[in-house]
Structure formats: C-alpha cells, structure tokens
Amino acid sequence: MEGIDSESVLILLELRQLKYFVKVAELEHFGQAAEELHVVQPALSRQVKQLEEELGVDLFERLPRGVRLTAAGKMLLDRARQLLADTDRAVAATRQAAQGKTGFVRIGFADGATFSGHLPSIIGKFRKRSPLVELELLPASSLNQADLLLTKSIDIGFAYWLPKTRTNIAYQQINHERILLAMAKSNELSARKTLRLSDLHDRPFIWFKRSSSPMYFDLIASECSKARLTLNVVQ
C-alpha cells in the first residue's frame, strides 16, 4: 500500500468492512462471501468498494469468475486478520472481566486454615472455574486479616474469627473445627471416653504464647476460666 500508513488507516476503518474484505479475499468470490456472511451481495460489494475508496487503492482484481487480491490487498489481508483477531480477544477479555473470570485477587489466610483441606479445595475449584484470574496468597493471623481487609490490602480472608468490634466486615462461615486435648497414651485420662475441663486441674500443660495468637489464646482461656481451671503451663 504505497504511500499509505497502514497502521493509522486501519484504526479508521470500520470492522465490518474489514470482516467483509477478509471473507471475500478468502473465498475469492463476492457471491459466496455474501452467502456465508448472510448479507445481500450488493451491500457486500458496496462496503468493499467503499473500503477501496477510503484507502485510495484497488484491493481486488475483478475477474470473469470471482476476484483476486492485488498486491495492496495481500498486504491489507494480513493486517486485517490480525486486527480482527485482536478485537475478538479484547471483546472476550472484556466479557470475562465483567463475569469475574479475569483479574487479580489477594487472599489472606491463617496458617491453620490449610490443615482441614477446605482452603486448598476452595482455591482448586476456583482455579478450574476461573483459570485467568491471578491469585496471590498472603499468610496472616485472623486479627491481622481484619486490618488488611479494611485497608484493602487483601480482597478476602480465611480466618478463624474476627474481632466483635469489626462490624463493617462481612463474613460467611464455611467450617466448624473442634479443639482437641492431646496427651500421651500412658496418661490415665486417655482411657476415658469423655473429659471435662474440670478434670484437668493440676495437670501440667505444654502451651503457646499469647502473642502468637491472642484471639485463640483468649478463647481457650475464657472457657477454662468458666470451668475454674487454671492452666499449669510447664513449657
């Protein structure tokens, strides 16, 4: 296309004209192209002729039976195919974004949230349903996740609980977990089918520091206090 800046001209052309042009070029026949595009031949011919006039070149050699691309037409064909493919991808990406199938999601999670298998299962199902969404996993305590949500540092969090003061955070319960008492098989209490907190008076405990999980620590400490159990932490 001598004397024509094809990059800038393509931007000005109607996509419909390019679509018609590509189909005629592929079939080398106006009638067959019109049939496949489900348009009347005069309208198709008029659109292609208008395209030639806008570019100032002949794109086809008109033959007794069909047409043949000119040198200018061959150059335009490659660019037109590329532009139409890019447009189709852009439309598909836009629709996927509107449906939540593309984008970026930051997920906070407490370390223990992976133990039950619920979190890996949920993430696995989400990846299958929305493979184009990029996920970033950020380990954080339940308490820290509340702050991260409010500052929009994460989009969603998997936590054990949230502070009662954070009423502006919506949540959905997905699982129940039990707190278990671990002991050696040689301990006489291990033979019992049921235990109460009151049965654990004066028993030595291996425990964790409150600073590692304040909310979890306070939850257990509160239940022990109700049962009038003072934990004898030896380690």
Side-chain angles (χ1 to χ4, degrees):
M1 295 173 64
E2 185 177 353
I4 297 178
D5 183 351
S6 59
E7 293 292 342
S8 59
V9 170
L10 283 178
I11 296 175
L12 301 176
L13 302 180
E14 290 187 17
L15 293 177
R16 181 177 57 181
Q17 291 177 330
L18 293 180
K19 189 175 181 179
Y20 288 176
F21 160 72
V22 169
K23 183 58 67 176
V24 174
E26 291 173 346
L27 298 178
E28 295 186 335
H29 198 283
F30 275 91
Q32 294 177 11
E35 186 176 345
E36 284 205 14
L37 292 169
H38 304 291
V39 297
V40 294
Q41 183 174 336
L44 176 63
S45 299
R46 186 166 57 253
Q47 288 292 327
V48 173
K49 186 63 178 177
Q50 184 178 346
L51 176 62
E52 290 178 315
E53 291 173 354
E54 290 175 354
L55 294 175
V57 297
D58 290 330
L59 299 173
F60 295 103
E61 294 180 30
R62 273 66 175 178
L63 306 175
R65 294 184 178 179
V67 294
R68 182 170 55 203
L69 283 171
T70 63
K74 291 177 181 179
M75 178 175 289
L76 178 61
L77 180 60
D78 290 337
R79 301 296 179 90
R81 282 172 171 165
Q82 180 181 345
L83 180 59
L84 291 173
D86 289 343
T87 301
D88 288 341
R89 284 191 290 267
V91 170
T94 301
R95 288 173 176 168
Q96 289 172 340
Q99 296 168 2
K101 294 182 178 180
T102 60
F104 183 81
V105 179
R106 294 161 296 186
I107 301 174
F109 68 97
D111 290 338
T114 61
F115 299 160
S116 67
H118 279 77
L119 176 57
S121 175
I122 291 172
I123 291 177
K125 291 178 181 178
F126 182 81
R127 285 193 183 280
K128 287 182 180 180
R129 189 182 65 186
S130 304
L132 300 180
V133 176
E134 184 178 351
L135 300 180
E136 181 181 2
L137 301 178
L138 303 172
S141 69
S142 298
L143 185 61
N144 287 341
Q145 286 185 58
D147 294 330
L148 293 174
L149 284 168
L150 291 175
T151 59
K152 298 184 179 180
S153 299
I154 60 175
D155 302 297
I156 188 172
F158 289 85
Y160 281 99
W161 46 73
L162 291 170
K164 293 181 179 180
T165 55
R166 302 297 174 85
T167 56
N168 52 347
I169 297 178
Y171 67 91
Q172 175 68 46
Q173 186 167 303
I174 61 173
N175 189 34
H176 289 276
E177 291 189 359
R178 299 172 62 195
I179 297 175
L180 302 181
L181 176 68
M183 66 180 75
K185 287 185 178 180
S186 58
N187 193 306
E188 71 275 13
L189 294 178
S190 66
R192 297 191 186 183
K193 291 185 178 180
T194 59
L195 280 174
R196 296 179 179 275
L197 288 175
S198 57
D199 297 327
L200 304 177
H201 281 294
D202 299 326
R203 297 283 176 170
F205 279 85
I206 299 174
W207 211 244
F208 61 96
K209 294 182 179 180
R210 185 180 185 277
S211 58
S212 63
S213 183
M215 298 178 69
Y216 186 48
F217 184 97
D218 291 345
L219 174 66
I220 298 178
S222 175
E223 293 302 314
C224 291
S225 177
K226 292 177 184 178
R228 301 193 178 188
L229 169 63
T230 301
L231 295 176
N232 177 26
V233 180
V234 296
Q235 176 63 48

